[in-house]
Amino acid sequence: MASTARFDVVAIGNAIVDVIARADDALIAAEGLAKGSMRLIDAEEAARLYTAMGPAVEMSGGSAANTLAGMAALGQRCAFIGQVADDQLGQVFTHDLTSLGVAFETPPLKDSDPTARCLIFVTPDGQRTMNTFLGASQNLGRDSLAPALIADADILYLEGYLWNADASRAAMAEAIGLARGAGRRVAFTLSDTFVIAAHGEDFRRMIAAREIDILFANEAELLELAQEQDFETALASVAADVPLLVVTRSEKGAVAVANGERAAVPAEPIDHVVDTTGAGDLFAAGFLAGQAQGRAIADCLTMGAVCAREIIAQVGPRAQTDLKSKVATRVG
């Protein structure tokens, strides 16, 4: 039976403007950065690194917002809840997201921290080193949740990054209760190993309590969550408590376990990796779009893999190709 919900997915995440610049390995070393990592920085460090960057591209980003942008490009109905400030970057973020067809009505904060930004250095091997100043995004509170909006979406999608601030962590926990009370599914992305290292006990408790219906992780995040070193052991351990577990494995493809049934797909072929920024976000976009369309799990995985391939072949986390046509050539 077709859904009567207004939205396929409503996501709660960090509202961030990405600042992306090319960099060589020497600059990464000189700045004392760990290539391929993501870390949180303060306003002073953000200003210093911005000065060190070369010519940059600025576009709205944030993990969950990137996922919704990809879903909108695939024709799905999406809404976003996130916090910006009443400043120039806040206006940039709002315009970018709504112009893609994503509903975004969270009021901007006045007299607050500035809108969040992520300074991303992309090295010649396509690796991205991310330095995030959370700014206003971490001030997302329970007053911004829009309970009616959450109840009117088939899936509530949450990003683990928001677990790092007290206010947003409380808001996310309440959102889970609102979604489950309305009979909606809850999807959660673990975001990064450093998030799991800090909040793994919370995540394990949520999973054990069956509060999460769909869990997204990459291989490293899965191992950190399960506190295992072997992939298969970790997969079996986590899948036992999650109705639908989805794990990306870079060049090894992706695997999903749905109520004990396993499906896997290889990575989509690509000639040259340009920039891995947003690969996991766009994989989630393809997979969730497949879920919204009622497709088989293998097809959902393929849709995710196609979207991830398209995003790593370009600079930045927002698709510059026709995702819908690319996906249609693979799954119809």
Side-chain angles (χ1 to χ4, degrees):
M1 184 175 66
S3 172
T4 58
R6 180 183 173 196
F7 296 104
D8 298 310
V9 172
V10 58
I12 304 178
N14 282 320
I16 298 177
V17 175
D18 289 335
V19 183
I20 306 170
R22 297 284 188 183
D24 56 25
D25 289 338
L27 178 60
I28 299 297
E31 294 296 331
L33 306 177
K35 187 167 76 169
S37 67
M38 186 280 187
R39 65 180 183 132
L40 299 178
I41 59 175
D42 58 21
E44 182 178 351
E45 179 74 350
R48 187 186 69 78
L49 284 177
Y50 185 78
T51 300
M53 298 182 89
V57 174
E58 298 183 356
M59 63 184 70
S60 59
S63 176
N66 289 338
T67 295
L68 293 190
M71 290 191 71
L74 293 170
Q76 307 309 134
R77 304 160 299 154
C78 304
F80 180 69
I81 299 171
Q83 192 63 67
V84 297
D86 187 15
D87 57 17
Q88 183 177 357
L89 286 184
Q91 294 170 9
V92 167
F93 180 91
T94 301
H95 176 267
D96 280 0
L97 198 59
T98 56
S99 69
L100 297 172
V102 177
F104 176 45
E105 299 178 353
T106 310
L109 290 179
K110 300 181 183 295
D111 302 320
S112 74
D113 294 326
T115 296
R117 70 284 315 268
C118 183
L119 308 179
I120 304 173
F121 295 86
V122 181
T123 42
D125 59 359
Q127 287 294 308
R128 80 282 185 271
T129 303
M130 305 169 68
N131 306 272
T132 303
F133 169 57
L134 290 174
S137 68
Q138 64 189 331
N139 296 324
L140 178 74
R142 298 159 78 175
D143 292 343
S144 300
L145 283 182
L149 183 63
I150 293 170
D152 210 9
D154 284 325
I155 295 175
L156 169 67
Y157 180 66
L158 307 171
E159 64 172 76
Y161 285 131
L162 271 180
W163 230 257
N164 285 308
D166 291 342
S168 56
R169 183 164 61 250
M172 299 257 276
E174 183 164 326
I176 291 172
L178 290 169
R180 301 201 70 80
R184 305 304 189 182
R185 288 193 291 170
V186 176
F188 191 87
T189 176
L190 291 169
S191 295
D192 199 286
T193 54
F194 88 86
V195 178
I196 304 167
H199 304 290
E201 287 307 310
D202 273 356
F203 300 159
R204 295 180 195 103
R205 176 194 56 75
M206 290 160 55
I207 290 168
R210 299 297 181 108
E211 294 178 0
I212 306 301
D213 300 292
I214 306 172
L215 181 66
F216 289 93
N218 62 30
E219 186 166 353
E221 292 161 1
L222 179 73
L223 295 175
E224 178 73 26
L225 179 70
Q227 298 181 309
E228 298 283 355
Q229 295 184 331
D230 176 71
F231 175 76
E232 292 296 335
T233 303
L235 186 71
S237 173
V238 177
D241 288 323
V242 179
L244 177 50
L245 173 62
V246 185
V247 184
T248 57
R249 308 186 70 192
S250 299
E251 72 278 1
K252 292 178 282 189
V255 60
V257 181
N259 295 313
E261 295 294 323
R262 179 170 176 160
V265 299
E268 291 288 306
I270 183 173
D271 293 330
H272 178 60
V273 175
V274 174
D275 173 15
T276 57
T277 305
D281 304 335
L282 268 292
F283 182 95
F287 190 94
L288 289 172
Q291 287 283 289
Q293 295 167 18
R295 294 181 181 270
I297 295 298
D299 282 347
C300 294
L301 287 171
T302 297
M303 291 172 68
V306 170
C307 291
R309 178 197 64 199
E310 291 302 302
I311 219 66
I312 65 176
Q314 61 166 61
V315 173
R318 299 292 171 86
Q320 298 165 24
T321 57
D322 184 350
L323 286 183
K324 185 181 284 189
S325 66
K326 297 289 185 179
V327 165
T329 62
R330 293 289 283 111
V331 298

